[in-house]
Structure formats: C-alpha cells, structure tokens
C-alpha cells in the first residue's frame, strides 16, 4: 500500500526557509492530491496546503504568503518550503494523500506520513 | 473559514465504557466530515469519512453520525488500545480545518 515519508532538516534558524520533502512509495503520485499538515508540540492540527500531481496548488490563507508546495513526478516526491520562519513554526510536519469518493474536491486525508519534527531556533 | 468546536477536550473513561465525542461546525457541511485517531508520537489515522463510513480495518465499535453542523463519534465499548486523541476534520471547503482534539484517558 501507499506509504509516505517526510525528510529534511530538523533544525532551522529564525528568518530562514524551512524545506521538507515527502517521498511516496508503493504507488504513483499521479492522479492524487497531496497535502502538508503540521502540529505544534502538544497542540492541534493545521492544514498548510495541497498540490495536485499536475502542479496546481491551494494554500491556507493564514500561511499563503510564506508557503510554496511543488511536485516532482519523476521522483514521486512533493516538497514544502516555508519562508521567514519563527519559533511559532516549530511543529511536527506531516505529508498526507487526499482520498475521495464521488466529488473529487471533497476529500479527506489517508494515509499520512510518520511526521518529522522541525524546530526553529538559533 | 469553517470553525469547529470539539467537545469535550478531555474525557476520562474506563475500559468497556461507551464514549461520545461531539464536533460542531460554524456552518453546515453536509456530511463532509472525517474522524482521526492519534496515539502519542504517531501520525493521525483515519477512522471514519463521510460522517459515518467506517474506514476499512477499523473496528465496528467505532461509529459516526450527524450531518449539517452537528456530528458525533461514538466508541461503543472502549478498549485499551482506544486511549488516544481524536480529531474531527471538515472537507466541505478550503482551508481544511480540524477540531481541537479530544483526549480519551484512562479513568
């Protein structure tokens, strides 16, 4: 079955850019939507944005000015860049696939990657 | 943005109990609601989608109900492996939003 694995630096300095990659295995990245979701330590879940395999994107307005999500279908990967980070961006970052039945734009998240903790600190 | 109010935030229960978690929307979302279970140090896992459809492999003691603005997750007979945090999530519109979470702990 499809598995997702996040990778990237675990420590980022304030004002710099956080960069993460999600590698999809066991299936193709094509024909699906893929999201990034984060969870600050001890807190709830926040959707960051999605990318369709074709490259179209949709971002959370709360982060839109700082977020870029891209896809590399040849590597079965998609990536997240979050610029100008602060301590408030410290979180576990998850990647996830969208699934639906019926309307393509009505989709939930399954499966999720195991998550990777990114700490913003000097 | 659709805001979600999940309650209670903490639920103390014993094995064998029937527990109910509520999720209320700031506006109607039809049945476009999912429930996830998250255990410490792990990623959330899908339990239910379309408000009441059980994900394959999820035990039948889990059930979901509701439509519009009010939804419920019920665990009919709590097992030891069910002690975890549960989140609701709407997929009616973007941005996707989650409830604040309900931690189910051992009484």
């Amino acid at each position: 079955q499809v598995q997702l694995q996040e990778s990237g630096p675990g420590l980022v300095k304030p004002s710099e850019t956080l960069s993460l990659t999600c590698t999809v295995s066991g299936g193709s990245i094509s024909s699906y939507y893929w999201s990034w979701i984060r969870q600050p330590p001890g807190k709830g879940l926040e959707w960051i944005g999605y990318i369709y395999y074709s490259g179209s994107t949709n971002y959370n307005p709360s982060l839109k000015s700082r977020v870029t999500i891209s896809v590399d279908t040849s590597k079965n990967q998609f990536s997240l860049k979050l610029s100008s980070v602060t301590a408030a961006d410290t979180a576990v970052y998850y990647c996830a696939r969208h699934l639906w039945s019926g309307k393509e734009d009505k989709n939930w998240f399954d499966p999720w990657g195991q998550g990777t903790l990114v700490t913003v600190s000097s | 943005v659709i805001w979600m109010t999940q309650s209670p935030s903490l639920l103390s229960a014993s094995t064998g109990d029937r527990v109910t978690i509520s999720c209320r929307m700031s506006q109607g979302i039809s049945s476009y609601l999912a429930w996830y279970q998250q255990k410490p140090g792990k990623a959330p896992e899908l339990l239910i989608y379309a408000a009441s459809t059980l994900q394959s492999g999820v035990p039948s003691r889990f059930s979901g109900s509701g439509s519009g603005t009010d939804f419920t997750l019920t665990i009919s007979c709590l097992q030891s492996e069910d002690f975890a945090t549960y989140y609701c999530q709407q997929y009616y519109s973007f941005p996707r939003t989650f409830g604040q979470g309900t931690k189910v702990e051992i009484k």
Side-chain angles (χ1 to χ4, degrees):
Chain A
Q1 73 274 21
V2 171
Q3 293 184 309
L4 289 74
Q5 178 68 59
E6 304 88 351
S7 59
L11 181 64
V12 181
K13 289 183 169 56
S15 81
E16 296 189 343
T17 296
L18 178 160
S19 296
L20 296 174
T21 295
C22 181
T23 300
V24 179
S25 60
S28 173
I29 203 168
S30 297
S31 303
Y32 286 98
Y33 297 84
W34 305 88
S35 269
W36 288 97
I37 299 155
R38 69 180 183 178
Q39 185 173 37
K43 296 188 177 180
L45 298 158
E46 179 181 33
W47 175 74
I48 298 170
Y50 79 66
I51 190 162
Y52 192 44
Y53 78 101
S54 63
S56 62
T57 56
N58 189 327
Y59 302 139
N60 193 322
S62 67
L63 297 167
K64 188 173 183 176
S65 63
R66 300 194 290 131
V67 172
T68 302
I69 299 177
S70 58
V71 65
D72 187 337
T73 54
S74 67
K75 295 182 178 179
N76 238 29
Q77 295 177 334
F78 62 105
S79 299
L80 168 70
K81 290 189 185 298
L82 182 65
S83 63
S84 305
V85 297
T86 69
D89 295 309
T90 294
V92 175
Y93 286 77
Y94 296 101
C95 55
R97 182 184 65 177
H98 294 223
L99 277 183
W100 62 91
S101 63
K103 297 183 180 182
E104 191 171 301
D105 65 328
K106 305 301 189 198
N107 46 55
W108 55 91
F109 305 117
D110 183 62
W112 299 52
Q114 66 183 27
T116 187
L117 174 63
V118 178
T119 301
V120 178
S121 175
S122 55
Chain B
V1 180
I2 296 177
W3 300 105
M4 307 169 69
T5 303
Q6 192 174 335
S7 61
S9 56
L10 177 64
L11 195 161
S12 298
S14 302
T15 303
D17 285 352
R18 177 185 180 90
V19 301
T20 298
I21 299 169
S22 172
C23 191
R24 176 163 288 179
M25 309 296 132
S26 60
Q27 65 186 77
I29 63 165
S30 184
S31 295
Y32 297 117
L33 187 94
W35 289 96
Y36 301 88
Q37 177 192 67
Q38 185 178 35
K39 296 183 178 179
K42 301 293 187 181
E45 293 187 352
L46 179 70
L47 293 175
I48 287 169
Y49 60 92
S52 61
T53 302
L54 216 58
Q55 168 72 340
S56 175
V58 174
S60 59
R61 62 181 179 271
F62 290 91
S63 65
S65 64
S67 67
T69 59
D70 292 309
F71 299 86
T72 299
L73 173 69
T74 299
I75 310 173
S76 60
C77 183
L78 202 62
Q79 301 299 300
S80 58
E81 60 267 32
D82 302 335
F83 291 98
T85 300
Y86 295 85
Y87 293 93
C88 54
Q89 178 242 323
Q90 64 81 19
Y91 52 94
Y92 177 79
S93 67
F94 287 99
R96 298 298 195 236
T97 47
F98 294 85
Q100 304 95 316
T102 294
K103 183 177 181 180
V104 178
E105 67 169 20
I106 300 174
K107 191 172 184 179

